[in-house]
Amino acid sequence: MHEPSVRVLMAVADALGTSAETLLAQAGMIERPADGVETAINAEQRLTPEQKTALIAVYRSMLPG
């Protein structure tokens, strides 16, 4: 199955009025809770919520399993 890009996921999430992270979690594609990297991304004040979601999605896509 083809995996959509972060841009597509963010557009779908926006259309549904939710975050891409929430969308991915509800689809069973990602797990929660966040680890140390995700905590650092979420704590970074210079990033927008959309940028944080995109970074976390890219980070998770690179993890095994």
Side-chain angles (χ1 to χ4, degrees):
M1 180 177 190
H2 174 73
E3 292 188 26
S5 69
V6 172
R7 185 184 312 215
V8 171
L9 289 172
M10 290 180 68
V12 171
D14 186 50
L16 295 173
T18 189
S19 71
E21 182 179 10
T22 299
L23 182 66
L24 290 170
Q26 290 176 344
M29 297 177 72
I30 60 173
E31 295 181 16
R32 293 185 190 191
D35 65 10
V37 173
E38 294 179 32
T39 300
I41 291 170
N42 283 317
E44 179 54 63
Q45 297 294 316
R46 297 172 289 182
L47 297 173
T48 66
E50 294 81 13
Q51 290 170 324
K52 291 175 184 182
T53 299
L55 280 172
I56 289 170
V58 169
Y59 168 67
R60 288 180 176 174
S61 74
M62 295 180 185
L63 296 176

